[in-house]
Amino acid sequence: MVRGKHHPPRPKPAGSEGMLIAGDLKKERGWTDTQIRTFLPEPDKLARNPRSRKAAPMKLYALERV
């Protein structure tokens, strides 16, 4: 998804090739928080948030599993 000239693309965590974050699941695929908890209870990987070191780690889900 292209965000427009005033919004740069969202940064992805290092080493996240072939992975989706929960925000991608919700925005691009129409999933809800309940669906994510039900069908993908455990993330495949946790990665540091590239925007803020104080933020919670980002949950990454493998494309093959989604």
Side-chain angles (χ1 to χ4, degrees):
M1 180 177 123
V2 178
R3 293 190 55 167
K5 64 182 178 181
H6 297 293
H7 299 282
R10 285 183 290 189
K12 298 279 186 175
S16 66
E17 294 78 27
M19 308 288 267
L20 292 171
I21 58 174
D24 292 341
L25 289 171
K26 289 190 258 183
K27 192 170 215 172
E28 296 172 7
R29 296 180 180 233
W31 285 43
T32 64
D33 288 327
T34 303
Q35 289 173 315
I36 294 171
R37 279 193 306 271
T38 301
F39 299 116
L40 302 169
E42 293 296 321
D44 294 304
K45 186 177 176 183
L46 292 175
R48 190 176 79 199
N49 190 315
R51 287 192 181 208
S52 172
R53 291 177 181 250
K54 292 181 179 182
M58 297 178 83
K59 297 175 182 178
L60 301 172
Y61 302 96
L63 276 171
E64 307 90 45
R65 207 171 77 143
V66 174

